[in-house]
CSV table of all heavy atoms in Angstrom, one decimal:
chain,number,residue,atom,x,y,z
A,210,MET,N,16.7,-17.1,-4.3
A,210,MET,CA,17.9,-16.8,-3.6
A,210,MET,C,19.1,-16.6,-4.5
A,210,MET,O,20.0,-15.7,-4.3
A,210,MET,CB,18.2,-17.9,-2.6
A,210,MET,CG,17.3,-17.8,-1.3
A,210,MET,SD,17.4,-16.2,-0.5
A,210,MET,CE,19.2,-16.1,-0.1
A,211,ARG,N,19.2,-17.4,-5.6
A,211,ARG,CA,20.3,-17.2,-6.5
A,211,ARG,C,20.2,-15.9,-7.2
A,211,ARG,O,21.3,-15.2,-7.4
A,211,ARG,CB,20.2,-18.3,-7.6
A,211,ARG,CG,20.5,-19.7,-7.0
A,211,ARG,CD,20.5,-20.8,-8.1
A,211,ARG,NE,20.5,-22.1,-7.6
A,211,ARG,CZ,19.6,-23.0,-7.7
A,211,ARG,NH1,18.4,-22.7,-8.4
A,211,ARG,NH2,19.7,-24.3,-7.2
A,212,ASP,N,19.0,-15.4,-7.6
A,212,ASP,CA,18.9,-14.1,-8.2
A,212,ASP,C,19.2,-13.0,-7.2
A,212,ASP,O,19.8,-12.0,-7.5
A,212,ASP,CB,17.5,-14.0,-8.7
A,212,ASP,CG,17.2,-14.9,-9.9
A,212,ASP,OD1,18.1,-15.4,-10.5
A,212,ASP,OD2,16.0,-15.1,-10.1
A,213,LEU,N,18.8,-13.2,-5.9
A,213,LEU,CA,19.0,-12.2,-4.9
A,213,LEU,C,20.4,-12.0,-4.6
A,213,LEU,O,20.9,-10.9,-4.3
A,213,LEU,CB,18.2,-12.6,-3.6
A,213,LEU,CG,18.2,-11.6,-2.4
A,213,LEU,CD1,17.5,-10.3,-2.8
A,213,LEU,CD2,17.6,-12.2,-1.2
A,214,CYS,N,21.2,-13.1,-4.6
A,214,CYS,CA,22.6,-13.1,-4.3
A,214,CYS,C,23.5,-13.0,-5.5
A,214,CYS,O,24.7,-13.1,-5.4
A,214,CYS,CB,23.0,-14.3,-3.5
A,214,CYS,SG,22.1,-14.4,-1.9
A,215,ASN,N,22.9,-12.7,-6.7
A,215,ASN,CA,23.7,-12.6,-7.9
A,215,ASN,C,24.5,-13.9,-8.2
A,215,ASN,O,25.6,-13.9,-8.6
A,215,ASN,CB,24.6,-11.4,-7.9
A,215,ASN,CG,23.8,-10.1,-7.8
A,215,ASN,OD1,22.8,-9.9,-8.4
A,215,ASN,ND2,24.3,-9.2,-7.0
A,216,GLY,N,23.8,-15.0,-7.9
A,216,GLY,CA,24.5,-16.3,-8.1
A,216,GLY,C,25.2,-16.8,-6.9
A,216,GLY,O,25.8,-16.0,-6.2
A,217,LEU,N,25.2,-18.1,-6.6
A,217,LEU,CA,25.8,-18.7,-5.5
A,217,LEU,C,27.0,-19.6,-6.0
A,217,LEU,O,26.8,-20.6,-6.6
A,217,LEU,CB,24.9,-19.5,-4.6
A,217,LEU,CG,23.8,-18.7,-3.9
A,217,LEU,CD1,22.7,-19.6,-3.3
A,217,LEU,CD2,24.4,-17.8,-2.8
A,218,ARG,N,28.2,-19.1,-5.7
A,218,ARG,CA,29.4,-19.8,-6.2
A,218,ARG,C,30.4,-20.0,-5.0
A,218,ARG,O,30.3,-19.2,-4.0
A,218,ARG,CB,30.1,-19.0,-7.3
A,218,ARG,CG,29.2,-18.8,-8.6
A,218,ARG,CD,29.9,-17.9,-9.6
A,218,ARG,NE,30.0,-16.6,-9.1
A,218,ARG,CZ,29.1,-15.6,-9.2
A,218,ARG,NH1,27.9,-15.9,-9.7
A,218,ARG,NH2,29.3,-14.4,-8.7
A,219,PRO,N,31.3,-20.9,-5.2
A,219,PRO,CA,32.3,-21.1,-4.1
A,219,PRO,C,33.0,-19.8,-3.7
A,219,PRO,O,33.4,-19.6,-2.5
A,219,PRO,CB,33.3,-22.1,-4.6
A,219,PRO,CG,32.4,-22.9,-5.6
A,219,PRO,CD,31.5,-21.9,-6.2
A,220,GLU,N,33.3,-18.9,-4.6
A,220,GLU,CA,34.0,-17.7,-4.3
A,220,GLU,C,33.1,-16.6,-3.8
A,220,GLU,O,33.5,-15.5,-3.6
A,220,GLU,CB,34.7,-17.2,-5.6
A,220,GLU,CG,33.9,-16.8,-6.8
A,220,GLU,CD,33.5,-18.0,-7.7
A,220,GLU,OE1,33.7,-19.1,-7.3
A,220,GLU,OE2,33.1,-17.7,-8.8
A,221,SER,N,31.8,-16.9,-3.7
A,221,SER,CA,30.8,-15.8,-3.2
A,221,SER,C,31.2,-15.4,-1.8
A,221,SER,O,31.7,-16.3,-1.0
A,221,SER,CB,29.4,-16.3,-3.3
A,221,SER,OG,29.0,-16.6,-4.6
A,222,ASN,N,30.9,-14.2,-1.4
A,222,ASN,CA,31.2,-13.7,-0.1
A,222,ASN,C,30.2,-14.2,0.9
A,222,ASN,O,29.0,-13.8,0.8
A,222,ASN,CB,31.2,-12.2,-0.1
A,222,ASN,CG,31.6,-11.6,1.2
A,222,ASN,OD1,31.7,-12.2,2.2
A,222,ASN,ND2,31.9,-10.3,1.2
A,223,PRO,N,30.6,-15.1,1.9
A,223,PRO,CA,29.6,-15.6,2.8
A,223,PRO,C,28.9,-14.5,3.6
A,223,PRO,O,27.7,-14.7,4.0
A,223,PRO,CB,30.5,-16.5,3.7
A,223,PRO,CG,31.7,-16.8,2.9
A,223,PRO,CD,31.9,-15.6,2.1
A,224,GLN,N,29.6,-13.5,4.0
A,224,GLN,CA,29.0,-12.4,4.8
A,224,GLN,C,27.9,-11.7,4.0
A,224,GLN,O,26.8,-11.4,4.5
A,224,GLN,CB,30.0,-11.4,5.1
A,224,GLN,CG,29.6,-10.3,6.1
A,224,GLN,CD,29.3,-10.8,7.5
A,224,GLN,OE1,30.1,-11.7,7.9
A,224,GLN,NE2,28.4,-10.3,8.2
A,225,MET,N,28.1,-11.5,2.7
A,225,MET,CA,27.1,-10.9,1.8
A,225,MET,C,25.9,-11.8,1.7
A,225,MET,O,24.7,-11.3,1.8
A,225,MET,CB,27.7,-10.7,0.4
A,225,MET,CG,26.7,-10.0,-0.5
A,225,MET,SD,25.7,-11.2,-1.5
A,225,MET,CE,26.9,-12.0,-2.4
A,226,ILE,N,26.1,-13.1,1.6
A,226,ILE,CA,25.0,-14.0,1.5
A,226,ILE,C,24.2,-14.1,2.8
A,226,ILE,O,22.9,-14.1,2.8
A,226,ILE,CB,25.5,-15.5,1.2
A,226,ILE,CG1,26.2,-15.4,-0.2
A,226,ILE,CG2,24.3,-16.5,1.2
A,226,ILE,CD1,26.8,-16.7,-0.6
A,227,GLN,N,24.9,-14.0,3.9
A,227,GLN,CA,24.2,-14.0,5.2
A,227,GLN,C,23.3,-12.8,5.4
A,227,GLN,O,22.2,-12.9,5.8
A,227,GLN,CB,25.2,-14.1,6.4
A,227,GLN,CG,24.6,-14.0,7.8
A,227,GLN,CD,24.0,-15.3,8.2
A,227,GLN,OE1,23.9,-16.2,7.4
A,227,GLN,NE2,23.6,-15.4,9.4
A,228,ASN,N,23.8,-11.6,5.0
A,228,ASN,CA,23.1,-10.4,5.1
A,228,ASN,C,21.8,-10.4,4.2
A,228,ASN,O,20.7,-10.0,4.5
A,228,ASN,CB,23.9,-9.2,4.7
A,228,ASN,CG,25.0,-8.9,5.7
A,228,ASN,OD1,24.8,-9.2,6.9
A,228,ASN,ND2,26.1,-8.3,5.3
Side-chain angles (χ1 to χ4, degrees):
M210 283 303 303
R211 293 182 188 117
D212 295 340
L213 185 66
C214 299
N215 298 318
L217 292 170
R218 298 175 295 275
E220 64 271 17
S221 297
N222 185 346
Q224 187 71 35
M225 181 271 295
I226 296 174
Q227 178 76 350
N228 290 333

